Amino acid sequence: MKLVVFHGFARVGKDTAADICASTFGGKKYALASKLKELAYRCNPYIKYIVDMYGWEEAKQFEGVREFLIEMSEKAIKPTFGRDFWCHMLEKQLNDAICWVSDARFEEEAL
């Protein structure tokens, strides 16, 4: 398995780069935040409504959505389960010859 991780600030094109690479070179795009988003979607009715109406990329532009994701991860999940929790969750999903990880934002997420 080959693992390529895109690391950088929000809104700099990590997802776009991973999409282009996956379509050009094969493999599959993965995201560290996929389980976090799933959790937020299931437990927050406001987020569920916004995501259902606009999708995740647009939803993150609505007031409180991005902040809720960050707060849930940084104040609840990581302190409880460890700073590398999202890496362990993602590791369980990786099963392609080439894996493009589109959303590393912190040093510990650079796998």
Side-chain angles (χ1 to χ4, degrees):
M1 171 178 52
K2 293 181 183 178
L3 180 66
V4 179
V5 179
F6 292 90
H7 183 271
F9 296 108
R11 314 275 317 148
V12 297
K14 297 180 301 289
D15 272 302
T16 302
D19 286 333
I20 291 169
C21 289
S23 66
T24 303
F25 303 109
K28 183 177 176 184
K29 183 176 97 171
Y30 293 87
L32 285 155
S34 61
K35 293 295 183 185
L36 174 62
K37 289 176 180 177
E38 183 180 331
L39 185 61
Y41 181 86
R42 290 176 183 226
C43 73
N44 186 311
Y46 170 71
I47 288 179
K48 182 181 185 323
Y49 173 78
I50 298 296
V51 171
D52 286 347
M53 293 293 291
Y54 301 100
W56 269 110
E57 283 309 306
E58 290 294 320
K60 290 187 290 185
Q61 305 310 310
F62 280 77
E63 184 175 340
V65 174
R66 185 180 297 275
E67 294 79 9
F68 181 80
L69 293 169
I70 292 169
E71 190 164 314
M72 190 165 54
S73 180
E74 297 302 308
K75 292 186 178 178
I77 302 296
K78 287 182 181 180
T80 303
F81 299 107
R83 295 207 52 80
D84 57 355
F85 175 79
W86 300 118
C87 294
H88 292 299
M89 293 301 296
L90 179 67
E91 194 174 37
K92 294 176 184 179
Q93 300 172 50
L94 301 177
N95 61 9
D96 288 271
I98 305 173
C99 303
W100 307 94
V101 180
S102 65
D103 62 344
R105 299 277 307 282
F106 299 97
E107 187 175 329
E108 66 270 11
E109 295 173 347
L111 304 172

